[in-house]
Amino acid sequence: MFSHSEENYLKVIHKLAFSNSKNVSTNLIANELQTKASSVTDMLKKLADKKLVNYEKYRGVSLTKKGELIAVNVVRKHRLWEVFLVDTLKFNWDEVHDVAEQLEHIKSDQLIDRLDTFLNYPTIDPHGDPIPKKNGEIPFNNSILLSEGITNKIYKVSCVKDNSKSFLQFLDKHEITINSELTIVDKFDFDDSMTVKLIGGHSIILSNKVSTNVFVNLK
Amino acid sequence: MFSHSEENYLKVIHKLAFSNSKNVSTNLIANELQTKASSVTDMLKKLADKKLVNYEKYRGVSLTKKGELIAVNVVRKHRLWEVFLVDTLKFNWDEVHDVAEQLEHIKSDQLIDRLDTFLNYPTIDPHGDPIPKKNGEIPFNNSILLSEGITNKIYKVSCVKDNSKSFLQFLDKHEITINSELTIVDKFDFDDSMTVKLIGGHSIILSNKVSTNVFVNLK
DNA sequence: CTAAAAATTTAGACTAGTCTAAATTTGAGA
DNA sequence: TCTCAAATTTAGACTAGTCTAAATTTTTAG
């Protein structure tokens, strides 16, 4: 089996490879894990020895098939636990991250299978992120960023990119959540802000920082 | 906060102090934790530095008030998770120990409070052991060992002492579980075995090994 | 193309937790 | 009460993971 630390590195490499390029740099990982580049180098060597990453000195890393599978499984566990915390234990969506970071390392396939069953096989977590299947497949989501939406169409919020407490609390305050429906009333080139109107609700001006952290689907 | 390892030592010292004497020896701990006496000595020094145990070289240890509180809290978490695993996720009572050993170290008071609420404030775990209250109080149970019972009274099984897979599976096989009702039909001095009859069920001969690992209450 | 900056790796050290083997202390029985 | 076996502790070593500081490689800008 793999240590918490190893799992965290694999998870972060997976995340960065997903959003950035295929090859991930030492500094990116160090920054994401709030650790030092030298520590990252040490760990990359170890992961390479175990055939979990492809690593070439000074050239960054990518996950091997094996490393990918472990990383995705950690993500699966993290997201299933988040569903449990919100749906079953009534946590708010801004309170679950730290606890899920711990729970994701519990080792028991039986536990995760049964949790999945108990939760009725959820496909997304409380932030709208897809829950990987047992076989490692990650359901694809054809959402777009709210910032890329056009005016006078009805969109449904599908996912939030930034899972930080402050962002989620901001959304709570303005009654925006997963499945909220809204239209873009106006877009302002000046600062890339926009006015959106929640269907049956209030209007609100969203900064570019906000609209680039919310995914939506055309209704 | 305290490490998994520290919590495990405190938990084991608590357990041993409960069943044995107040003062616990290095070897007892080493044996319980499947580690070496020298490792135990090292850890005892550290725990003593942190004022979690009273430790005098060559004299054994006892928990301080502070150590006791932490130990009992770990036990509380362990037992609440066991209830969750059996009641909610439908694990069998012989499958929960290893997973609960991991879950008991998750750090989040909110999580345990909400789990407790979700489970409707259970007072005993799936093996009949009392679940410590949040304040550290452990509900007292005036059960006796089945081996100490007398013939022709009706008893109700309240707790099993040995939580090993093999013992629990043995009880399953013979349809003995928490809350089973039975009478002692006969006791045999020869080997301290006894014949018991399950109310509305079959009769069975139990060895002394079995009857000294089952607690019962007079109905 | 080259010098400086940025990124990365190496060297060496530290902590937590563990181990083996040797030394010390305890305590039980003659 | 003395001796010796058992229990315990100490000394020193090892691993995983981390760090700082120095060295090296890569990249960038002129």
Side-chain angles (χ1 to χ4, degrees):
Chain A
M1 276 308 115
F2 304 99
S3 71
H4 289 199
S5 191
E6 287 171 329
E7 288 188 348
N8 282 334
Y9 273 91
L10 294 173
K11 187 182 61 171
V12 159
I13 295 166
H14 171 78
K15 175 180 170 181
L16 294 171
F18 214 76
S19 50
N20 299 48
S21 60
K22 195 84 208 186
N23 238 45
V24 179
S25 77
T26 302
N27 263 358
L28 260 181
I29 298 169
N31 182 59
E32 187 75 21
L33 282 173
Q34 297 285 64
T35 184
K36 302 297 169 189
S38 56
S39 307
V40 175
T41 302
D42 288 346
M43 182 57 93
L44 294 184
K45 284 181 191 163
K46 195 201 295 189
L47 295 175
D49 285 349
K50 296 191 178 184
K51 311 281 186 211
L52 299 174
V53 299
N54 306 115
Y55 171 55
E56 249 190 300
K57 269 210 231 181
Y58 297 103
R59 296 273 117 128
V61 272
S62 61
L63 294 174
T64 62
K65 204 86 202 158
K66 196 175 159 197
E68 176 82 13
L69 219 67
I70 294 163
V72 170
N73 198 247
V74 174
V75 171
R76 170 172 158 81
K77 291 195 277 180
H78 182 103
R79 294 181 180 166
L80 280 173
W81 279 117
E82 285 199 344
V83 173
F84 169 72
L85 294 173
V86 169
D87 287 9
T88 308
L89 296 193
K90 311 304 178 194
F91 277 65
N92 200 330
W93 67 344
D94 66 332
E95 302 173 315
V96 298
H97 191 265
D98 293 349
V99 184
E101 289 280 291
Q102 296 180 64
L103 287 165
E104 73 190 8
H105 300 295
I106 301 289
K107 280 161 184 63
S108 167
D109 290 344
Q110 196 188 6
L111 174 62
I112 294 305
D113 286 351
R114 286 176 186 254
L115 187 65
D116 192 27
T117 302
F118 171 70
L119 297 171
N120 204 22
Y121 313 104
T123 56
I124 57 166
D125 77 9
H127 311 107
D129 290 303
I131 296 174
K133 307 264 175 231
K134 213 174 156 180
N135 64 13
E137 184 195 323
I138 305 180
F140 179 72
N141 189 334
N142 64 334
S143 301
I144 59 165
L145 281 177
L146 176 58
S147 57
E148 284 153 10
I150 56 180
T151 54
N152 297 317
K153 301 271 180 194
I154 298 183
Y155 293 106
K156 191 190 229 180
V157 174
S158 64
C159 184
V160 294
K161 196 170 175 181
D162 176 357
N163 285 1
S164 70
K165 219 176 182 70
S166 60
F167 185 57
L168 296 173
Q169 286 177 351
F170 170 88
L171 295 178
D172 272 346
K173 190 79 85 186
H174 299 293
E175 294 172 29
I176 297 172
T177 190
I178 303 299
N179 291 329
S180 288
E181 292 180 10
L182 50 80
T183 44
I184 300 170
V185 176
D186 230 338
K187 295 182 82 167
F188 307 103
D189 286 348
F190 170 61
D191 63 351
D192 292 315
S193 67
M194 56 171 65
T195 304
V196 307
K197 181 176 184 319
L198 287 161
I199 304 305
H202 60 289
S203 291
I204 171 181
I205 296 175
L206 298 180
S207 68
N208 184 251
K209 178 92 182 270
V210 172
S211 64
T212 54
N213 274 297
V214 173
F215 286 105
V216 296
N217 280 129
L218 199 56
K219 264 285 282 189
Chain B
M1 275 311 113
F2 304 97
S3 69
H4 288 200
S5 191
E6 288 170 329
E7 289 187 346
N8 281 334
Y9 273 91
L10 293 173
K11 187 182 61 169
V12 159
I13 295 167
H14 171 79
K15 176 180 169 182
L16 294 173
F18 215 75
S19 50
N20 297 50
S21 60
K22 195 84 206 188
N23 239 47
V24 178
S25 76
T26 303
N27 261 359
L28 259 180
I29 298 170
N31 181 59
E32 188 75 21
L33 281 172
Q34 296 286 64
T35 183
K36 301 297 171 187
S38 57
S39 307
V40 175
T41 301
D42 287 345
M43 183 56 93
L44 293 185
K45 284 181 193 164
K46 196 201 295 188
L47 295 175
D49 285 348
K50 297 192 177 182
K51 310 281 185 210
L52 300 173
V53 299
N54 306 114
Y55 171 55
E56 250 189 301
K57 269 209 230 181
Y58 297 106
R59 298 271 115 125
V61 272
S62 61
L63 293 174
T64 62
K65 204 85 202 162
K66 195 174 159 199
E68 176 82 13
L69 219 66
I70 295 162
V72 169
N73 199 247
V74 173
V75 171
R76 171 173 158 80
K77 292 196 275 180
H78 182 102
R79 292 181 182 167
L80 279 172
W81 280 116
E82 285 198 344
V83 173
F84 170 72
L85 294 171
V86 169
D87 286 9
T88 308
L89 296 193
K90 310 303 177 194
F91 277 64
N92 200 331
W93 68 343
D94 66 331
E95 302 172 315
V96 297
H97 191 264
D98 293 350
V99 183
E101 289 280 292
Q102 296 181 66
L103 288 164
E104 71 189 8
H105 299 295
I106 302 290
K107 279 160 185 61
S108 167
D109 289 343
Q110 198 187 5
L111 175 62
I112 293 306
D113 286 350
R114 287 177 186 255
L115 187 65
D116 192 27
T117 301
F118 171 69
L119 297 172
N120 203 22
Y121 313 105
T123 57
I124 57 166
D125 79 7
H127 310 106
D129 289 304
I131 297 175
K133 307 265 173 230
K134 215 175 155 180
N135 64 13
E137 184 194 324
I138 305 179
F140 179 71
N141 190 332
N142 63 334
S143 301
I144 60 166
L145 283 176
L146 176 57
S147 58
E148 283 153 11
I150 55 179
T151 54
N152 297 318
K153 303 269 180 194
I154 299 183
Y155 292 106
K156 190 190 229 182
V157 174
S158 63
C159 184
V160 294
K161 195 170 175 182
D162 176 357
N163 285 1
S164 70
K165 222 179 183 63
S166 60
F167 185 56
L168 297 171
Q169 286 177 351
F170 169 86
L171 295 177
D172 272 346
K173 191 78 87 184
H174 299 293
E175 294 171 32
I176 297 172
T177 189
I178 303 298
N179 291 329
S180 289
E181 292 179 10
L182 50 78
T183 42
I184 300 171
V185 177
D186 231 339
K187 295 182 83 166
F188 307 103
D189 286 347
F190 170 62
D191 62 351
D192 291 314
S193 67
M194 56 171 66
T195 305
V196 307
K197 182 176 184 319
L198 287 161
I199 304 303
H202 60 290
S203 292
I204 172 183
I205 296 175
L206 298 179
S207 69
N208 184 250
K209 178 93 183 269
V210 171
S211 64
T212 54
N213 274 297
V214 172
F215 286 104
V216 295
N217 279 129
L218 200 55
K219 265 285 282 191

